[in-house]
Structures are given as C-alpha cells and as structure tokens.
Amino acid sequence: MYYFGTSTINHKMELINRLLTANKSWAARQLEVDETYFDNLAKDQKPDFLWIGCSDSRVPAEDLTGSQPGEMFVHRNVANLVVHTDMNMLSVLQYAVEVLKVRHILVVGHYQCGGVKASMMHKDLGLINRWLHNIKDVYDKHATELDGIEDEKTRFDRLVELNVIQQVHNLAQTSIVQGAWNQGQEVHLHGWVFSLHDGQLKTLAHMPPSTKVEGIYRYDF
C-alpha cells in the first residue's frame, strides 16, 4: 500500500485536470471552426499513412506533419523498432496494410534518442536490455563504420540513422508487406529522422512497391 501526502495528491490532480480542461477547450475550438467536425470524425478512418515512431514525448507524429485526426495511423515504441516477434507492432502493421489499406509506412527516428543512446552503453539496464539488443545488433552490423567515427555525438547520430534504415528493411522482410506487394498494393516504405534542433524531417530510405526482397527473407505466395 502506498500513501501520498495531501499536497502530492493535489499536485497530481492539478496535472490531470489541466489535461481535461485543455481537452474541453480543444473540442470547443474544433466546433467553432466546423460544427460537423466530430460527426465526420466518428464516421470512419481512412488514413494514407502508418507512422512507426519513437515513444519520446518530443516527437508527436501529427504535429510534425501537420496531419489532422483520421489522416495517420500511429504506432510508437522505444527507439521506433520493427521487431519480428513484437505482436503489438505486427498487429498494427497488419491492420494498417490489410484493412485500412495505407499507402505509406513511415519509420521515423529522431536524433538524441534515449533508446539508441542506452544501446551504446555496456550498463545492465534490466528488462529493457532485451529490447535494446535489437539496436545493439544494428551497431554490431555496422561496427567498422561506427567505431571509425571518433566524435561521440557524430557516432550517436549515425547509429540513429542506421537504426531507422534497418527498421525499414525489417518491414520489407515481413510477410505482411511482401503479401501486399504481391497483391499489387501500392505500399511505400519510408525511413525518416527528425531533428530536435530545427524541427526538420530528413529522408534516409525509400522502398517503393517494386522493391525485390532477396535471399532467405523472401516469401513466395
């Protein structure tokens, strides 16, 4: 049993009430602009985009792209990973591709990513070690390039980029994406990175529907 002082409880409730109050103001503003806003919002969603991004609170998908509710399907996790055993991510991916019929899947990382930074350490961080192992694999794959970068920040930034590119490749290796391509769906895979310093998104990778997956990762349908 945990006990909190009255001042602590009041402070926590103030934070929650701030969110609820802001929500009411937001809803009122939407209706001022368009009185049918919520009627239209409740009808359905037909997003063209699936955003797979980092959980970092500084990287809000809709705000960065000027997207409105209903325009972007969003999945977020630590360090924007596409892990083949992650049923949460795979469920989102399958629904986005097979049901919503999105046309673009965006893997979006960001510089100064805490997950990527943690993966560069040798410290035991507990449970998250297993998740960060996926990024360590990216480092190991590109160790010659990364170890050759003397400046730590530059090396950190480069691993952020290489991680995004690897996750795009991981997407292409899924039977979900390959199945969509096989059926003629125009699904494009994109890898972007966001800079917290200037607010800009930079393109790192693009795989069009014509992309051929080679080797053991190719599925036959």
Side-chain angles (χ1 to χ4, degrees):
M1 180 72 70
Y2 293 94
Y3 296 95
F4 300 97
T6 302
S7 60
T8 300
I9 293 174
N10 289 338
H11 177 66
K12 290 178 180 295
M13 291 309 299
E14 285 177 6
L15 293 175
I16 294 299
N17 289 333
R18 186 186 71 186
L19 296 181
L20 294 173
T21 300
N23 167 253
K24 291 179 180 178
S25 298
W26 171 80
R29 288 196 303 271
Q30 304 311 311
L31 291 175
E32 287 176 2
V33 175
D34 180 5
E35 62 182 16
T36 64
Y37 179 86
F38 292 106
D39 292 331
N40 294 328
L41 192 65
K43 289 178 181 178
D44 201 0
Q45 62 167 333
K46 295 182 179 179
D48 287 323
F49 309 97
L50 166 60
W51 173 288
I52 300 176
C54 183
S55 299
D56 194 299
S57 60
R58 300 168 294 178
V59 193
E62 291 85 357
D63 289 351
L64 300 187
T65 58
S67 299
Q68 297 299 314
E71 294 181 345
M72 185 173 292
F73 202 53
V74 176
H75 175 76
R76 298 171 70 171
N77 60 45
V78 174
N80 43 271
L81 299 185
V82 175
V83 179
H84 295 286
T85 55
D86 180 0
M87 297 305 295
N88 189 344
M89 184 281 301
L90 291 173
S91 297
V92 170
L93 177 63
Q94 182 180 29
Y95 186 76
V97 171
E98 298 181 4
V99 179
L100 297 177
K101 305 292 184 183
V102 298
R103 296 187 292 175
H104 299 275
I105 303 176
L106 319 168
V107 177
V108 186
H110 65 98
Y111 297 117
Q112 296 178 255
C113 177
V116 173
K117 182 67 173 179
S119 75
M120 300 174 72
M121 302 163 53
H122 297 282
K123 184 178 180 180
D124 178 8
L125 299 173
L127 178 64
I128 200 171
N129 287 340
R130 299 190 65 179
W131 186 257
L132 298 179
H133 191 95
N134 296 286
I135 313 174
K136 289 180 180 288
D137 286 342
V138 177
Y139 193 111
D140 185 65
K141 182 178 180 180
H142 299 277
T144 300
E145 175 187 351
L146 292 168
D147 289 343
I149 301 174
E150 294 186 5
D151 181 71
E152 183 177 352
K153 180 182 182 302
T154 303
R155 185 166 64 251
F156 178 18
D157 288 348
R158 183 55 179 157
L159 181 55
V160 166
E161 295 173 349
L162 291 171
N163 181 54
V164 169
I165 294 169
Q166 182 61 56
Q167 306 318 310
V168 175
H169 283 278
N170 289 353
L171 275 175
Q173 292 167 5
T174 65
S175 59
I176 297 169
V177 169
Q178 290 185 37
W181 285 345
N182 181 69
Q183 294 173 14
Q185 281 185 243
E186 293 290 311
V187 181
H188 293 254
L189 310 182
H190 306 266
W192 294 352
V193 65
F194 174 69
S195 171
L196 296 169
H197 291 291
D198 62 16
Q200 299 294 309
L201 289 162
K202 181 173 72 173
T203 297
L204 298 174
H206 174 221
M207 289 187 175
S210 58
T211 300
K212 301 297 183 184
V213 179
E214 303 294 341
I216 196 64
Y217 298 111
R218 187 192 75 247
Y219 287 95
D220 295 326
F221 297 91

